Structures are given as C-alpha cells and as structure tokens.
Amino acid sequence: MGQFAQCLKTESEDGFIKGKYCIASLTSQFSLSKALEDNIKRANYSVAITIRKKARNLVYMQKRDENDAAAVYQPGITWAICLPSLCTDNDVTEIFNFIVNGSAVSCQTKDDLNPPLDTGAIISILILGFFALLLVGSTSLDLYSTFNKREVRHVALTAFSVYSNGRKLFRISKNSGELTCLNGIRFLSMMWVIIGHIFSMVYMAPIVNFKDVMEWVESSRSMTIASGTLSVDSFFLMSGALLVYGYFKSKHNRINFNIFQFYFHRFLRITPALAATVLVSANLAKYMGSGPKWNYISVLEDGCKKYWWSILTYTQNYVVSANDMCLPHTWYLCIDMQLYLISPLILIPLWKYPKLGLTMVLGSIATFVIVPFAVAYSTGIPALITNFKVDTSLIEDFYVYYYMKTHTRPAPWCIGLALGYLLAKIEFEGKFTYTLNKIIVVSSWVVCLVVLITCVYGGHSDLLKADYNQLENSFYIGFVRPVWAACLAWVIFACVSGHGGPINWFLSWPVYQVLNRFTYSVYLLHYPLLQLLVFTLKTGVYFDDLSAAYLFWGITMFSFGISIIWVLAFESPVVVIEKNTTQWCEKG
C-alpha cells in the first residue's frame, strides 16, 4: 500500500510537480512462473524476487503438478507506486505492465482529496438541512408545550420531536405484544447479517495475508459465517408469520381490509429511511474520506446515481445487474416488498376459505423448494459462496440466478404464513389449545436444535470440494433454507405456546424491544459504513478472527449510533403522522 498521505503531500516549491499515488490490481488470473521468467529475461531480478515474496503472502496458490508447471494464482496482487503528477495514467500502466501483465491502474493526486461540491451534493445537503430544521423546530415546540402545559394544535407539528420520539424509542413496555420471542430472533439475526458482511468485506480490503484467509475458508469454523445467509431466511419466516398474524388480528377486531391502505402503510413505513440512505450514498459519500482505494467508492456512488429509482420501486433485483445495484444488500427489501404485494392473494383465502388458503400455502412451500433446486441444477451454481475452488463465474451466477431473485426465495416466507395462521387461530379463536406431551416437546426441541446446527455446519467437507457435485449442491440449495425455517418455526411456536423454557426467556428479554427499534436503520446503514471504512484504509490489514470480531463490534456500535439519528428523522415521524392520520380518517 505504500505511504498514501506522504506521497500526496509531496510537492515542489513552485507547486508544478506533485506526488501522484497509483495503485494497480491484477485483474485476471496470471501465470506466476511466466511472470518470473519474463522479468529474469529482462534482468529484473529484484522484481522477480518481489513477485515471489508478494505471492507467498498475498495470494492463494492452487495445486502444482510434479514438474512445477505454471501455477494459477488468484485473486491477484496489489501494488502501489508514487510518481510525479506529470506522469500520465498510460505511463503508469506501462510501468506496471513492465512488471506483470494484466494490471488495472487507479491514480490520485492531492487535488483529488477535496473535490468541490457538485449540484447533487448541494441539493442533498439542503434536503438533510431541512430535516434538521424540522427536528429542531418540532422539538422546541414540543418542549415549550410540555413544560408550559399547553396543548399543541395538531400532532403533526411535534411529529419530529426528538424529545417525545426519543422517550418512546427507549421505553420498555411490559405488554409489548404476544410474540415477544421474535424480538430476540430479529436482533440476533441482524447481528448475524452484520458479521457476515464484515467477513465478505475481507475480499475488498487490502489484506496482506490472503493465503491465511483461504485457509480459514477451508476450516470448519468458517461455516458460522458462510451459513450467515440463513439469517435472511429467518427474516422471511418472521415476515410471513407477522403478516398473517396481523391480518387475522385486524379481522378479529373487525377492521375492514383496505388494500390501498395496506400497500401504502408498507411503502410509507420503510421508504423514507431508505431514500435518505440512497441520497447520501449517491451524492455525499465521496466527500467522506480518502485513501489508496477511495476510487472504489464509485461502487457505492454510481449505482445509486443511476438506479435510485429501481430501489425506491423495489424492483432492482430484477431490472439491475448485481454489480450495478444501489445498496446491493437491500435486495432483501425488494423480495420482501414483492411478496407483500402478492400476499392478499393468500391472506383473503386463508380468512374466508381456510382449506383453500392452507392448500395454497402448502402448495407454495412445495413449489418453492423445487424451483431453487431446479435453478441450481440447471446453472451449476455452488451451494456455498465461499467455495473459491469452482469457476469464479459460478459465484456471480449464484447471485444472479438464485440468491437475489424472488421466485427462488419464498419457501421460508410461505412457512411463515402457515406459522402465522396457526398462532392466529390459537390466539384469536382458541383453536388447537391442547397441552403437548412433555416427551413430544423435549423430542421436538432436540430434533430442531440438532437440525438447526446441522444447517449451519453440515456439508462443509463436501460442499467446498473442487470436484463439483451437481446433485449434492442442488439438494442443499433447495432444502437447507426451508428446513431451517421449519425448525425455527417450531422454536417460535414453542415459545409462544409456553414450551420455550429458558430459550423463550432469553429471546423475550425486554432489552430487545429497544434494540429492535433500530435494527431497520442499522440494516440500511451498516453496509455503506463498512464500505467507507474499507476504502479509507491506508495500510495493509492482517486478517484473523480477533481482528474481525473487533471490526464487527466497531461497525455495529457505529451503525447503532447513527441509526438513532436516522430513526428520529425518518422513521418515528412517519409512524406518528400515519397513526394520527388513520385515527382521523376513522373518526371522519
């Protein structure tokens, strides 16, 4: 990585010559032995030795044959160099190509550190400033009215009050609802998502011991992270269960179903905070740091500038390629919204024609087990995204054809619909209220816990082999997520029905109430914050478990801190306004 700051601070007295920091990454597989041979022919022995030393520490070596033939190394080596600013990018490319062919060059000078504000940045600052004024004004009015015991004319005037909304956010209610165990599951699942993204960023960070990373991937403990994608299926399960449970609850309370209000509520609830994150990512992120890899911030910026409309319409998982997505981790919101849009097709039959509705749910579960199996079998995608022994294009296909598509992911959501129906029948109609035999309860707990652990750690030795087994990988992709969701559904059912014991006590811990009020904003913010952190690194990073854990807690706490602002500015006011608007409409 060199000395980034020192290079850019270098400048002649007249300012004519400045330091130019350039970094090159080998963008394709290359033959190390050929690179050594070429440089030896050129009498560049020092370069040849450097290549050998760098390769030993930075890249992962595949098997060599007995004759020590050209070995293929990937993902490649990163080199940095400091040159006079008068050198063009083509000059730099020629220098790097002289060392090793196939390099991609990115250069920066001192003038690039503080770019002037463009129109988009100015508009974004004005918009955020407007919300800041709303927070200050609304809070001031609320405090004045509260301490002078005067009633505010309209609740909308204090909807942005940091004082009132803040008190609600940090309040623990003793009667927070019937499904309190979901609080713990939701929070722990979000932590699993974050730590998974922490480790995924390893491949973008300037890691100096990449060989150790590859050895870690091949170890069994890496499955804790590789299986972190199951946390998303936990969210799908809870989303489906709460959807049916909430619908039956409104019907039990004799509230008429208004499909426009049904859709509008969902869109209004999640879009403002998302739109604010898109706004900052598209127009302000590039002003928030600098570093050797800071040019990679375009990954965050360009997608949101070009395709902001696709995320705000929740369609980008189909209309935008995986590499061009705005805030790519929000693919989950797209799938969840699309499933929400079609949910009345199942909710209404479940209420009016239960047998038909349940048949539709069970049929959907079976269908969406078969579909991902068929997709995996036809495309040959690996079951684990950490299997770097297969063709790298298959890892891309994993996201393109399977991971981010709605038609391959609904099985856990459909299982959630069945769970929500069962819980609603017990709670609101008193059906299925019988005491389970202790032997059945204990046996179910043992089986489900063993299966959940197996879903996380099972298949490590077989699924990470270089010899790809198409049927084995397809079965894993087709069944692991529905099985995970089914066992987690038992955990929820057991906790709600009084058979949860200490697990229910832990998952229903009242503190989760407070933490969960910030999980949505934490979900939105943690990934771009992690990108900013990685792209501002100015020295190489040594990978190990302890460092990753330290980074996890840092990003998590940082995300929670900023999420307080995000919730108070873009989530809580919407809830207040919508709640009071709904009450006004019902009275009117």
Side-chain angles (χ1 to χ4, degrees):
M1 298 293 285
Q3 297 296 323
F4 175 77
Q6 184 180 24
C7 178
L8 295 189
K9 289 179 180 179
T10 302
E11 186 175 359
S12 61
E13 292 183 1
D14 58 2
F16 183 67
I17 297 178
K18 301 177 182 178
K20 185 172 189 175
Y21 179 94
C22 296
I23 190 168
S25 298
L26 303 176
T27 56
S28 60
Q29 296 181 351
F30 67 97
S31 169
L32 179 61
S33 56
K34 186 177 186 303
L36 288 170
E37 180 183 350
D38 290 345
N39 281 282
I40 291 172
K41 287 180 179 179
R42 298 171 182 171
N44 294 323
Y45 296 106
S46 62
V47 174
I49 293 172
T50 301
I51 292 176
R52 192 186 301 276
K53 289 182 178 179
K54 292 284 186 180
R56 187 179 297 120
N57 294 318
L58 293 177
V59 297
Y60 175 68
M61 183 175 66
Q62 294 181 343
K63 291 183 178 179
R64 297 170 180 247
D65 60 24
E66 295 180 354
N67 298 322
D68 194 29
V72 176
Y73 288 74
Q74 56 177 348
I77 299 173
T78 298
W79 257 303
I81 189 171
C82 187
L83 297 169
S85 57
L86 297 179
C87 293
T88 65
D89 289 354
N90 289 334
D91 295 332
V92 180
T93 301
E94 288 188 17
I95 292 172
F96 278 113
N97 283 337
F98 181 73
I99 302 174
V100 179
N101 293 326
S103 58
V105 178
S106 173
C107 297
Q108 300 179 64
T109 65
K110 183 178 180 180
D111 298 333
D112 298 321
L113 292 182
N114 299 300
L117 294 176
D118 56 22
T119 303
I122 295 173
I123 294 175
S124 300
I125 292 173
L126 291 175
I127 293 174
L128 295 177
F130 172 74
F131 277 93
L133 289 176
L134 284 178
L135 291 173
V136 173
S138 184
T139 303
S140 300
L141 179 60
D142 187 27
L143 290 172
Y144 175 81
S145 303
T146 300
F147 291 104
N148 288 280
K149 298 181 180 181
R150 294 188 179 184
E151 185 176 351
V152 180
R153 291 185 177 181
H154 197 281
V155 69
L157 296 174
T158 57
F160 285 81
S161 172
V162 174
Y163 173 70
S164 293
N165 291 335
R167 292 180 63 188
K168 295 175 184 176
L169 285 176
F170 293 97
R171 180 186 303 157
I172 295 179
S173 173
K174 294 182 179 180
N175 298 315
S176 60
E178 300 85 353
L179 310 181
T180 54
C181 64
L182 296 187
N183 291 329
I185 296 175
R186 185 181 293 110
F187 175 78
L188 296 175
S189 297
M190 181 53 61
M191 295 302 99
W192 204 4
V193 168
I194 295 176
I195 197 169
H197 287 156
I198 293 289
F199 278 83
S200 70
M201 280 294 173
V202 164
Y203 307 106
M204 300 180 66
I207 301 296
V208 301
N209 60 324
F210 204 88
K211 183 175 182 292
D212 294 338
V213 175
M214 293 296 100
E215 292 176 353
W216 175 85
V217 168
E218 292 183 346
S219 67
S220 59
R221 69 182 188 277
S222 70
M223 289 297 290
T224 306
I225 308 303
S227 300
T229 58
L230 294 172
S231 60
V232 180
D233 299 285
S234 302
F235 282 108
F236 281 132
L237 173 74
M238 291 184 287
S239 177
L242 289 174
L243 188 62
V244 174
Y245 189 85
Y247 180 78
F248 273 63
K249 184 177 182 179
S250 64
K251 284 295 184 181
H252 178 73
N253 294 331
R254 299 187 178 183
I255 299 175
N256 293 327
F257 178 70
N258 184 315
I259 194 166
F260 173 78
Q261 186 177 349
F262 179 75
Y263 289 145
F264 184 71
H265 163 76
R266 180 67 172 178
F267 182 83
L268 190 64
R269 176 64 183 84
I270 67 175
T271 303
L274 174 62
T277 310
V278 171
L279 183 73
V280 173
S281 300
N283 298 313
L284 298 177
K286 64 182 179 182
Y287 302 101
M288 296 181 181
S290 64
K293 290 194 170 187
W294 188 246
N295 287 341
Y296 289 99
I297 199 66
S298 60
V299 173
L300 177 62
E301 180 185 20
D302 293 347
C304 288
K305 277 191 173 181
K306 294 178 182 178
Y307 303 109
W308 58 268
W309 54 270
S310 65
I311 180 57
L312 296 183
T313 55
Y314 303 97
T315 58
Q316 74 167 346
N317 61 323
Y318 280 101
V319 302
V320 180
S321 66
N323 293 329
D324 296 327
M325 292 176 69
C326 171
L327 301 173
H329 66 298
T330 59
W331 62 267
Y332 166 81
L333 293 179
C334 297
I335 295 180
D336 192 58
M337 177 62 82
Q338 291 161 18
L339 293 174
Y340 191 88
L341 291 175
I342 65 172
S343 62
L345 298 177
I346 297 180
L347 292 177
I348 295 174
L350 273 176
W351 174 258
K352 291 186 176 181
Y353 314 103
K355 291 184 179 180
L356 173 62
L358 287 174
T359 302
M360 293 174 64
V361 171
L362 296 177
S364 298
I365 295 173
T367 300
F368 293 116
V369 169
I370 296 172
V371 169
F373 173 87
V375 169
Y377 193 83
S378 62
T379 58
I381 58 177
L384 299 177
I385 56 176
T386 52
N387 187 357
F388 297 109
K389 296 177 182 178
V390 300
D391 188 349
T392 54
S393 63
L394 293 178
I395 302 296
E396 297 178 5
D397 291 343
F398 177 88
Y399 291 100
V400 172
Y401 296 110
Y402 165 66
Y403 193 70
M404 296 182 176
K405 300 302 181 185
T406 305
H407 62 275
T408 58
R409 301 302 300 272
W413 183 78
C414 295
I415 293 173
L417 297 179
L419 173 64
Y421 178 81
L422 177 62
L423 296 178
K425 285 292 184 180
I426 293 174
E427 177 66 24
F428 305 119
E429 298 184 18
K431 296 184 178 180
F432 314 120
T433 55
Y434 54 86
T435 303
L436 294 177
N437 184 282
K438 288 186 177 180
I439 297 178
I440 295 177
V441 172
V442 173
S443 300
S444 298
W445 269 111
V446 171
V447 170
C448 283
L449 291 178
V450 169
V451 172
L452 288 173
I453 294 173
T454 303
C455 287
V456 174
Y457 295 101
H460 172 263
S461 57
D462 294 325
L463 297 175
L464 289 178
K465 292 188 302 186
D467 184 17
Y468 178 81
N469 187 311
Q470 191 172 24
L471 188 62
E472 187 178 67
N473 281 260
S474 300
F475 265 107
Y476 185 91
I477 287 177
F479 286 91
V480 69
R481 301 183 190 281
V483 170
W484 169 271
C487 290
L488 190 59
W490 158 257
V491 173
I492 296 172
F493 172 76
C495 290
V496 173
S497 61
H499 300 92
I503 293 180
N504 180 52
W505 172 84
F506 174 71
L507 294 177
S508 301
W509 191 31
V511 175
Y512 291 134
Q513 290 182 40
V514 176
L515 296 174
N516 274 322
R517 292 169 188 148
F518 301 96
T519 51
Y520 177 58
S521 285
V522 168
Y523 161 73
L524 292 177
L525 295 169
H526 81 276
Y527 194 78
L529 286 175
L530 186 57
Q531 288 180 307
L532 292 175
L533 175 63
V534 169
F535 297 150
T536 56
L537 291 173
K538 296 175 176 63
T539 59
V541 178
Y542 193 91
F543 170 84
D544 57 33
D545 292 325
L546 183 60
S547 298
Y550 183 81
L551 179 60
F552 162 74
W553 284 110
I555 286 294
T556 300
M557 294 299 101
F558 193 24
S559 300
F560 265 101
I562 299 180
S563 71
I564 295 175
I565 301 173
W566 234 245
V567 171
L568 291 173
F570 307 113
E571 290 194 63
S572 295
V574 173
V575 174
V576 173
I577 293 173
E578 184 193 22
K579 179 180 179 180
N580 286 275
T581 301
T582 302
Q583 292 176 352
W584 179 80
C585 291
E586 291 176 354
K587 292 179 181 179

